Amino acid sequence: MFSRSAGRLFNKSSMLGARRTMATAPQKVPMSIHEPNKYINYQRIQDNLEIVRKRLNRPLTLSEKILYGHLDDAVNQDIQRGVSYLQLRPDRVVCQDATAQMALLQFMSAGIPDVAVPSSVHCDHLILGEYGAESDLARAKEVNREVYDFLATTCAKYNLGFWGPGSGIIHQIVIENYAFPGALIIGTDSHTPNAGGLGAAAVGVGGADAVDVMAGIPWELKCPKAIGVKLTGRLNGWTSPKDIILEVAGILTVKGGTGAIVEYFGSGVESVSATGMGTVCNMGAEIGATTSVFPFTESMHRYLVSTGRPQIADASRAFAHNLRADEGAHYDEVVEINLSELEPRINGPFTPDLMTPLAKFKATAQEKAWPQDISACLIGSCTNSSYEDMSRAASLAKEALDAGLKVKADFIVTPGSEQIRATTERDGLLEIFRQAGGNILANACGPCIGQWARHDIKKGERNTIITSYNRNFTGRNDGNPATHGFVASPEVVTAMAFGGSTDFNPITDTLTTPSGKPFKFTPPNGAELPARGFDAGQDTYQAPPTDRSGVSVQVSPESQRLQLLEPFVAWDGKDVENVPILIKVRGKCTTDHISMAGPWLKYRGHLDNISNNMLIGATNSENGEANSVRNQITGAFDAVPATARDYKARGVRWVVVGDENYGEGSSREHAAMSVRFLGGAAVIVKSFARIHETNLKKQGLLPLTFNNPADYDRINPDDKLSILGLKTLTPGKALTLRVTKPSGENFDIVVDHTFNENQITWFKAGSALNYIAAANNQ
């Protein structure tokens, strides 16, 4: 047994409340107000589960109910956790603008006239946060006009909904408009699991997976294991839903959820709001989980009613027996957290799983010599921008303002959606933040994803920031590798903005007011939902036209932002022989290291240009430097992309060798496409993050893992590698990696793969898209 603070880890099953089954399900409930003729199919879930129950003859977890309820063929589908590849029929596809460009370019090249399932695109990633909402949004519309026009016309042409710039962050829009209990949603962003706050199994994927579903092809997912998190007690005082996931991240680490769905249950669930559950599920991406999900609760019903979906609220309540786990459902492991004992946490720096209780943060910061002065505090983002979050943070800011205090650090607020902005503006919450010295940014991702034009700190200058975001990798927010980024609840972040120092504990310490009196915060308070209802604000949604025949999509050959795709070449039927190692990566290598965001976001629709950032953030094991590798032909050191382009020009393929949890982080498929585009043949690592491994397969690459992780150390950057056995590539059958030293000496090691029969067809065709296009043209 393992224990840390309020968490406990077991390898036993959990007992859950029994619920009887029903023979029928609610009928004819529209999925959303934007698609009144598309209906929730609870009956499919019901029918599939009746088949699966007879086959498995055991209780089911909630995540199993949702996934198996969406099986393409419940009768014949092999079902083994951690082994089988499920063929699923998702209810919806959602794409953010940065990844949507490549996803839609791929969809267009498949030659399919319109999307097969309800789909939408959300413009949230390309808005740079700098001066404030109005000027930043106006500039983004001008700078990104070509991309926005492409996305809008493509959506109109192929029957997708389009949420224009200023609408808000994709995940907030989804929970406000599209998510519903029991839904299966895929999205081209790693934080798609945010919709788990409304009981949906929402999974982050690469664009090629989205193309499959939009093309009407079943979506393939390795049958996840199940991690249960049992919540008891009740949230109180300073503790917020954010602290639940900060605690879970500390227990499970950044790869502890890989290959599993995290499922919350227990009496404590009832004390968490629907949007609070969304926060917990959102940041489940930071532990590598396939997704996270909560059972149906009355807070979900309240939220659905408040956001104009009473029919869905009532239908999900009637279907609640299939929206929670069965009694006796077995989890592969269980974490238990007593919410009554849970205290606020601050996680970081540089990784979201380094958990420090707030009570120990001062001492730990001093011990670790983290920069004491806090330069910036940022709240909002897709993780924490609900009305509840904003109202609780505003209660603290108002209290400090009334005492005559102003913030000591830069204070930046990002509303998650136009609806949240309009509602919090109407109710005076944003004005409180302004009076305290806050800067309100546009309804977009902004600094959370590196879209932050920061002027107060020079690159390389050590400083501390605290955010209510989800991810804090090195350089993630401001591009400065010396910025120590910490993650906490919006309440703690707001209070720390007034304290201005890592030495300040807002729960126990006092501040001195301008009049010389001591001031101490009282616990935050706020409303789960706005008493006056939500204000929708400006209408930023574009529905696809009924007649799409006259819509045209144009991509200029001279464009530096968009580029039509050329198919990758098919496999030549041969083994990979005697190729150089482009880079042997040492240590953490996230998708931010492989394909950076920030200023590179503008090239997300142009494969050639975006490939100039390939692996420029990865640490080269040969010299300990980033973006400096030896060209094994010329002997000269150069940038990683430049070296890859030189190999490609010479007709030489290459491989990447990497460390643990390679590809952790974002769903961005550019991290795979650029490797393929510049001539990569394989990526060989100790272990992969789930989405990135799938993305590599989709692009016709070989994602391989060392059968013995210690073999990573036997390979040097100047070795040549051969991958043998591709002619008989078979599921479950290992391949041979022949390592040839500069001296000519060689030895063989075993490398594993996770290809199934279907994925092998992708490899042979050159990519999954090639396979789809060929099938469509038959």
Side-chain angles (χ1 to χ4, degrees), residues 718-737:
D718 58 352
D719 293 340
K720 296 289 181 66
L721 302 181
S722 299
I723 303 168
L724 309 179
L726 294 180
K727 296 177 182 179
T728 56
L729 182 61
T730 306
K733 181 181 178 181
L735 296 170
T736 298
L737 182 69

Side-chain angles (χ1 to χ4, degrees), residues 549-562:
S549 60
V551 180
S552 62
V553 179
Q554 300 294 326
V555 175
S556 169
E558 286 76 41
S559 173
Q560 295 300 302
R561 299 288 302 271
L562 299 164

Side-chain angles (χ1 to χ4, degrees), residues 576-582 631-634 643-655 675-681 720-721:
V576 176
E577 295 193 42
N578 213 38
V579 299
I581 298 170
L582 176 67
N631 186 314
Q632 300 304 328
I633 296 175
T634 68
T643 304
R645 288 183 186 276
D646 182 71
Y647 289 155
K648 182 179 180 180
R650 298 172 186 268
V652 175
R653 303 190 73 189
W654 44 265
V655 300
V675 173
R676 181 76 161 97
F677 179 72
L678 293 185
K720 296 289 181 66
L721 302 181

Side-chain angles (χ1 to χ4, degrees), residues 470-513:
N470 44 44
R471 193 162 282 168
N472 61 339
F473 300 145
T474 302
R476 166 77 178 186
N477 303 121
D478 61 2
N480 180 9
T483 293
H484 291 54
F486 295 89
V487 177
S489 70
E491 298 94 321
V492 168
V493 174
T494 299
M496 296 296 275
F498 288 91
S501 169
T502 58
D503 285 351
F504 178 64
N505 182 339
I507 298 178
T508 60
D509 297 346
T510 60
L511 300 171
T512 302
T513 67

Side-chain angles (χ1 to χ4, degrees), residues 236-269:
N236 61 86
W238 283 84
T239 308
S240 76
K242 186 63 163 276
D243 298 305
I244 299 173
I245 186 58
L246 294 180
E247 173 74 356
V248 171
I251 293 171
L252 294 179
T253 77
V254 291
K255 62 178 183 176
T258 302
I261 291 180
V262 179
E263 185 175 313
Y264 293 82
F265 66 95
S267 58
V269 165

Side-chain angles (χ1 to χ4, degrees), residues 266-334:
S267 58
V269 165
E270 297 296 332
S271 73
V272 186
S273 66
T275 51
M277 295 177 192
T279 293
V280 175
C281 293
N282 178 298
M283 202 173 158
E286 309 319 315
I287 60 172
T290 301
T291 192
S292 301
V293 67
F294 277 82
F296 176 80
T297 66
E298 285 303 305
S299 68
M300 294 182 188
H301 189 279
R302 291 192 295 272
Y303 185 78
L304 285 164
V305 171
S306 184
T307 51
R309 293 171 285 174
Q311 281 186 282
I312 298 177
D314 292 341
S316 56
R317 179 189 276 165
F319 197 60
H321 61 286
N322 275 327
L323 301 175
R324 57 175 65 95
D326 291 336
E327 178 183 356
H330 173 76
Y331 295 102
D332 296 281
E333 55 185 285
V334 174

Side-chain angles (χ1 to χ4, degrees), residues 83-96:
V83 177
S84 307
Y85 280 88
L86 304 179
Q87 299 293 314
L88 301 165
R89 291 288 184 177
D91 297 298
R92 177 175 299 281
V93 175
V94 294
C95 307
Q96 43 96 332

